[in-house]
Amino acid sequence: MLFLAVRSIRKRPGRFLATLLSAFLGAVIIMTFGSLHDTAAAPGVDGASADTMTIAASVVGGYGSLLVFFAIASTLTVAVRQRAEEIHLLRCTGATPAQISRMVVGESAVVALAGAVLAVGPAVLGGRVLLDLFRDSGQVAATVEPAFGVRALGSGFGIAVLASVGAAFLAVRRATRSAAVARHPRGHRARTPAGCAALVAGTGGVLSTYAVDSSAQTLMAFPAYGAILLSVGFAVLAPSLLGRLLDLLRAPLAAFGGAGGHLSARNLRRRGAESAGVLMPMIIFTGVATATLYIQGVESAWAEASGPGRSIDDKNVETLNLVVVGIIVAFSCIMLVNTLYAATSHRSREFGQQRLAGATPGQVLGVVARESVILTLTGLVLGTVAGVAGIIPFTMVRTGHVLPDQGPGTWLAVLGVATAVTLVTSLGTARRALRTPAIDAVAVAA
């Protein structure tokens, strides 16, 4: 099966580019921060510098590992789902589910290894740049020299390969099930308790903010983690929440959107799994970025107003928060672009059938645009709710005010990034798919 996996990659390398990109960027981030572990363990490094680098590498490494898995899992799920006919053909020719799993897992492992190898060079440079930032801000001694060794390589290769193999196994296991079972709502029963558990835990974390002393240095942790858990809960429950929203919007879409609005709602309901794949990174990006940026802004303003200046610990926390937000932005954008590109390009046959039935390219793009707007609004609203749920308690306890003084500019910037990525990717990919003649699109996809 390994030979078959390598042969499949060589035959159609294009289908693995998204996975390669996710593994490459994930390994770059993990190795970059993993190099701080190697630097901290080097001889001659003072204790304070070693502690700063170790904390940064551990915190961001944990976030990065989770986001790498989500990014690769999102990409692989869409890719494997689009190979349903190929998998069905293999089953018909005698391949067992275990053999198919080994093939897909083998493909993912090979692609992840290639991505990790390509990531070594950029990670070495990234580690040096990151250490320079810590030295320039005074958080690490100027005499500390960068190191890149076993810990950076081991963490980067290990997480990239494990995330790819685990995500591939889950995706192909789901794909080899009966199509009827996979599409039946009962197949997603596990989503509801998992999403509700995340929402309950997030609500508990947010409410715990009120039980902490207003001057405690650990105050930020409770609303921040609460907002993260709320975002994850909304993301897990995205398919059912989207379905309920479509029920509410059915009449307005039919009244103002006509046949195109009805078709957009129908497409989103029929493609619930793909829609959830788009909503998940959007909700997490909006919720976590909004909460973290505003909470850090309130914290920085409070620290400057309450004392002669910020301590090294305050700078460390601010650096970590901003880096975490940067990682979330990067991976959320990657997940959005990969998922939207794969899902939209896979609809070339559907677009061709609509055009053969009399729809113009402009009408098809209009349907895609409405779908993108509905998804964008849903993701932004749910993400904003999660973010605000963390911001308000923290601001009330820390400053006594309900809302932060930073204004809506940061929130609007977050919404702008998410909206631009969604609309540009979906409409650009659909426009590219429509360049193919309708008859050719239907014939090739069939």
Side-chain angles (χ1 to χ4, degrees):
M1 282 297 168
L2 181 60
F3 169 77
L4 187 58
V6 175
R7 182 175 178 271
S8 176
I9 295 173
R10 294 182 61 183
K11 184 178 179 181
R12 299 186 65 180
R15 66 164 52 151
F16 301 100
L17 287 179
T19 304
L20 178 66
L21 177 62
S22 298
F24 167 75
L25 292 176
V28 168
I29 292 175
I30 298 299
M31 289 183 189
T32 296
F33 282 90
S35 67
L36 294 181
H37 281 300
D38 292 312
T39 304
V45 177
D46 63 282
S49 298
D51 289 342
T52 296
M53 291 184 288
T54 300
I55 292 174
S58 300
V59 173
V60 179
Y63 276 107
S65 301
L66 182 62
L67 291 171
V68 167
F69 180 82
F70 270 114
I72 296 176
S74 176
T75 304
L76 282 172
T77 299
V78 175
V80 171
R81 188 181 295 117
Q82 293 175 353
R83 298 172 64 182
E85 293 184 5
E86 176 187 343
I87 292 174
H88 177 68
L89 179 61
L90 290 173
R91 291 292 306 277
C92 291
T93 56
T96 65
Q99 290 174 325
I100 296 174
S101 295
R102 286 197 295 269
M103 181 191 71
V104 176
V105 168
E107 293 171 353
S108 303
V110 171
V111 172
L113 281 172
V117 170
L118 295 174
V120 173
V124 172
L125 297 177
R128 293 177 179 272
V129 172
L130 184 62
L131 181 61
D132 288 339
L133 292 176
F134 278 104
R135 289 188 298 199
D136 292 342
S137 63
Q139 300 172 71
V140 173
T143 56
V144 176
E145 294 296 328
F148 192 92
V150 176
R151 296 188 181 185
L153 292 172
S155 60
F157 276 83
I159 290 175
V161 173
L162 288 176
S164 297
V165 169
F169 177 78
L170 294 176
V172 74
R173 184 167 177 257
R174 201 174 297 155
T176 52
R177 295 174 181 173
S178 159
V181 174
R183 294 194 183 110
H184 200 279
R186 290 179 298 181
H188 301 288
R189 277 183 176 176
R191 283 182 178 270
T192 301
C196 291
L199 291 179
V200 170
T203 302
V206 167
L207 294 178
S208 298
T209 308
Y210 294 104
V212 183
D213 186 81
S214 61
S215 61
Q217 292 184 348
T218 59
L219 181 64
M220 294 177 61
F222 297 96
Y225 283 113
I228 292 173
L229 290 172
L230 288 174
S231 300
V232 172
F234 284 136
V236 173
L237 295 174
S240 59
L241 293 175
L242 179 61
R244 295 180 185 275
L245 177 64
L246 292 175
D247 290 336
L248 296 175
L249 295 179
R250 181 180 301 172
L253 285 173
F256 297 101
H262 172 75
L263 184 58
S264 299
R266 181 178 178 276
N267 288 341
L268 289 174
R269 184 178 297 278
R270 179 173 55 86
R271 298 184 299 105
E274 289 84 352
S275 301
V278 175
L279 283 175
M280 181 175 292
M282 189 184 302
I283 294 172
I284 293 176
F285 163 63
T286 305
V288 177
T290 302
T292 307
L293 289 174
Y294 274 102
I295 289 174
Q296 181 57 58
V298 172
E299 178 69 12
S300 299
W302 176 82
E304 292 177 358
S306 60
R310 292 183 299 170
S311 64
I312 295 296
D313 290 337
D314 294 331
K315 294 181 179 180
N316 289 344
V317 172
E318 181 177 10
T319 301
L320 290 176
N321 284 335
L322 295 179
V323 169
V324 168
V325 171
I327 293 175
I328 291 172
V329 169
F331 266 90
S332 298
C333 289
I334 294 170
M335 292 167 66
L336 271 175
V337 171
N338 286 347
T339 305
L340 283 168
Y341 178 81
T344 306
S345 61
H346 188 63
R347 298 174 64 186
S348 58
R349 183 184 184 187
E350 175 189 339
F351 295 157
Q353 290 173 334
Q354 292 174 359
R355 292 163 64 190
L356 290 177
T360 65
Q363 289 173 326
V364 176
L365 282 177
V367 171
V368 175
R370 293 186 187 93
E371 295 174 8
S372 301
V373 169
I374 294 172
L375 287 176
T376 301
L377 290 177
T378 303
L380 296 183
V381 169
L382 294 176
T384 299
V385 170
V388 171
I391 294 170
I392 291 178
F394 178 78
T395 306
M396 292 179 64
V397 174
R398 191 62 109 189
T399 67
H401 303 290
V402 176
L403 296 176
D405 297 330
Q406 282 71 23
T410 301
W411 175 67
L412 293 175
V414 171
L415 300 192
V417 171
T419 302
V421 170
T422 304
L423 295 180
V424 170
T425 304
S426 58
L427 294 179
T429 307
R431 184 182 296 274
R432 180 180 178 183
L434 289 172
R435 294 176 183 173
T436 304
I439 295 178
D440 293 341
V442 173
V444 171

